Amino acid sequence: MKKIAVFTSGGDAPGMNACIRAVVRTAIFKEIEVYGISYGYDGMINGNIKKMQSHSVSNIIQRGGTILKSARSEEFRTPEGRKRAYEQLKKHEIEGIVAIGGDGTFTGAKIFFEEFGIPTIGCPGTIDNDIYGTDYTIGFDTAVNTALEAIDKIRDTAAAHDRIFFIEVMGRDSGYIALECGIGGGAEFVMIPETETDLKSVVKSLKNLRKSKSSSIIVVAEGDDEGGAEEIMQKVKDKVNDPEKEFKVTTLGHIQRGGNPTARDRVLASRCGMAAVEGLLNGHSNCMAGVVNGEVVYTPFADCIGKTKQLKEDHLKLIEILSI
């Protein structure tokens, strides 16, 4: 293998740049030419492909976002779009691909490999931590710490005014961010997609709030079965029906995607990026390079996409016990 390419796709995540850097410098160390594809699959289709040097990735390990940009591509979902992407890769004589992204990125990579056979290895870049085959995904730790910093500040004002805050964090299908923020931030309740939310229990506790606590923090994953934070707050407020209790909502939104990656994310991204290049050279393909129990593992895309990553039961128990 003489030439490989790297791209980022889907939602951006802190640490993607560290992963790009690791891919580029590992490839150069192995005496392989490496190309960067801008704007994900869309850039692949349109030929936004440029050769990268070691200096191309200087001073980026600490930066959030992605220097290769990211985009979602409707055209790549079509056979015609994928054929155009293949033709662009062959034009540049690219023999292997490193795809940094999440579930959608890996789904596209799996189909592309099955149709055209270009060896592809993925790196798990998503803040949601919902990809099977790795203990943590690139960007998750940073997103949790960003959200937790905001929750700590909100708790100050909640306590000062005896308010009940519903704080919405990202997680349309996954409660990992909400759960870790809830534990780290001392939340009284955490509402996540993986479990059924018991609003009756929440209402009962809040009605008795002034007997034990003057304020409360409730962390809501955006994909909770009862709705987003605004909708849940209104349901709870109506049932509590106490004019003395003040309810507030804060949606943290896209601040969770940005910012300098933590050391943990930089190291994880670097390990996955290096493993992806080494995996291509050792004959691995159509799989993701992740880290499980401290060791690099290669998991087939079919498993990454098809299997559900379970939440840790002891984390759920911690919320129940520590919120008393």
Side-chain angles (χ1 to χ4, degrees):
M1 192 171 288
K2 300 296 183 183
K3 296 182 180 182
I4 67 170
V6 57
F7 70 93
T8 53
S9 177
D12 61 301
M16 279 185 164
N17 281 327
C19 193
I20 294 167
R21 174 180 179 269
V23 170
V24 170
R25 292 196 169 169
T26 302
I28 292 170
F29 182 82
K30 301 285 186 179
E31 299 183 342
I32 300 169
E33 288 187 27
V34 58
Y35 291 77
I37 303 173
S38 298
Y39 297 102
Y41 289 119
D42 229 29
M44 192 183 295
I45 291 169
N46 295 311
N48 292 331
I49 303 171
K50 292 184 178 180
K51 188 174 179 179
M52 302 187 79
Q53 308 289 348
S54 183
H55 63 77
S56 304
V57 292
S58 295
N59 199 33
I60 68 167
I61 192 170
Q62 80 282 6
R63 289 168 54 185
T66 162
I67 62 166
L68 291 178
K69 308 293 186 177
S70 187
R72 303 186 191 278
S73 176
E74 289 301 318
E75 190 175 357
F76 193 79
R77 296 176 185 269
T78 68
E80 296 79 14
R82 293 190 293 273
K83 186 172 185 296
R84 283 186 60 196
Y86 173 73
E87 289 169 350
Q88 290 289 352
L89 293 177
K90 296 309 291 182
K91 176 181 174 182
H92 289 83
E93 300 179 336
I94 290 167
E95 304 166 85
I97 306 169
V98 176
I100 306 170
D103 188 81
T105 303
F106 296 164
T107 300
K110 177 177 179 291
I111 295 170
F112 193 59
F113 173 80
E114 290 167 351
E115 290 179 345
F116 299 103
I118 295 183
T120 304
I121 294 185
C123 293
T126 170
I127 67 170
D128 291 325
N129 197 38
D130 58 350
I131 297 177
Y132 180 85
T134 187
D135 287 339
Y136 297 100
T137 58
I138 298 164
F140 171 68
D141 188 63
T142 306
V144 167
N145 278 281
T146 297
L148 189 57
E149 183 180 1
I151 290 169
D152 286 346
K153 292 175 180 178
I154 290 168
R155 183 175 282 283
D156 289 344
T157 189
H161 295 274
D162 292 348
R163 288 170 174 162
I164 300 165
F165 266 89
F166 289 77
I167 303 172
E168 182 175 304
V169 298
M170 285 185 165
R172 187 173 60 242
D173 302 306
S174 169
Y176 272 97
I177 292 176
L179 194 56
E180 292 221 357
C181 283
I183 294 170
E188 279 66 38
F189 295 95
V190 175
M191 302 177 179
I192 56 177
E194 291 88 344
T195 61
E196 186 176 349
T197 295
D198 183 3
L199 285 186
K200 289 183 179 179
S201 176
V202 176
V203 170
K204 182 180 178 181
S205 295
L206 292 179
K207 281 184 176 180
N208 297 324
L209 181 64
R210 292 192 185 280
K211 295 178 182 178
S212 56
K213 299 178 181 179
S214 60
S215 62
S216 276
I217 295 293
I218 300 169
V219 178
V220 181
E222 61 183 323
D224 185 73
D225 61 293
E226 288 287 348
E230 184 70 43
E231 185 179 352
I232 292 174
M233 182 278 290
Q234 199 57 57
K235 290 178 182 178
V236 171
K237 183 179 180 181
D238 291 344
K239 290 176 181 175
V240 170
N241 193 27
D242 183 347
E244 292 187 12
K245 286 185 170 65
E246 191 174 359
F247 294 78
K248 296 288 184 181
V249 173
T250 298
T251 300
L252 298 184
H254 284 77
I255 68 164
Q256 295 160 88
R257 287 200 184 279
N260 299 341
T262 60
R264 185 176 177 182
D265 272 330
R266 297 182 200 190
V267 172
L268 174 63
S270 299
R271 293 189 71 189
C272 289
M274 184 177 76
V277 176
E278 292 183 337
L280 286 173
L281 296 180
N282 291 327
H284 291 285
S285 187
N286 202 28
C287 63
M288 179 195 76
V291 176
V292 177
N293 295 327
E295 300 296 328
V296 170
V297 297
Y298 297 94
T299 303
F301 281 145
D303 288 342
C304 297
I305 299 163
K307 291 186 178 180
T308 301
K309 187 174 181 179
Q310 300 295 327
L311 292 172
K312 294 180 180 179
E313 289 296 324
D314 63 328
H315 283 192
L316 294 169
K317 195 69 176 176
L318 270 172
I319 292 291
E320 181 183 350
I321 293 172
L322 300 183
S323 64
I324 295 173

